Amino acid sequence: MTPRDVQPTEDGRWLVVDGRRWRREDPHLPDEAAARLRSHLGRARAAVRTARREGRQERVRAARDRVGLAKTGLGERGTPWWEQTPAERETRWRRALARLDELAPPADRGS
């Protein structure tokens, strides 16, 4: 596998990967919230793959909705994070996490 060319833009809002621009994760997310959102994102992407293999279109749609919600919580979709106030940013990620935890509760790590 060849290494990818990944460069941040000067303003820090975007990553350019092999010439394509992608919005960066909100750099002001608390570490724990960002980690939980990335965990939800990874699990949702895995659910999309599984549902596609099984031919379960309703599950593909539900998993894709979770992907979108996680990306919105991370600040990668929706209103750009740099246009939001700190309170709006916090509301964005808290709402996304609450909804994602309802849709796909994290595994209980204590048992």
Side-chain angles (χ1 to χ4, degrees):
M1 184 175 217
T2 60
R4 300 182 89 175
D5 180 30
V6 179
Q7 300 293 322
T9 58
E10 285 185 32
D11 62 11
R13 296 174 179 171
W14 306 91
L15 283 178
V16 180
V17 180
D18 297 332
R20 187 168 179 187
R21 190 176 73 164
W22 299 88
R23 191 185 313 173
R24 289 186 81 166
E25 181 179 293
D26 183 345
H28 299 289
L29 279 171
D31 291 340
E32 181 184 351
R36 288 177 57 207
L37 286 162
R38 285 192 296 276
S39 175
H40 275 290
L41 179 59
R43 290 187 290 130
R45 285 176 169 163
V48 169
R49 285 189 300 274
T50 299
R52 286 180 66 199
R53 265 195 311 272
E54 294 171 352
R56 310 273 311 261
Q57 290 308 308
E58 72 285 353
R59 288 190 179 184
V60 170
R61 178 74 263 149
R64 284 185 176 157
D65 289 346
R66 288 174 36 219
V67 167
L69 189 54
K71 289 177 104 20
T72 298
L74 287 164
E76 297 176 11
R77 290 192 183 157
T79 303
W81 49 262
W82 57 88
E83 294 178 4
Q84 294 180 313
T85 65
E88 290 169 330
R89 290 158 89 164
E90 181 175 354
T91 297
R92 181 199 69 232
W93 64 260
R94 284 190 183 276
R95 283 184 179 161
L97 274 175
R99 184 67 180 132
L100 287 163
D101 285 346
E102 279 178 23
L103 294 171
D108 182 7
R109 295 180 203 131
S111 356

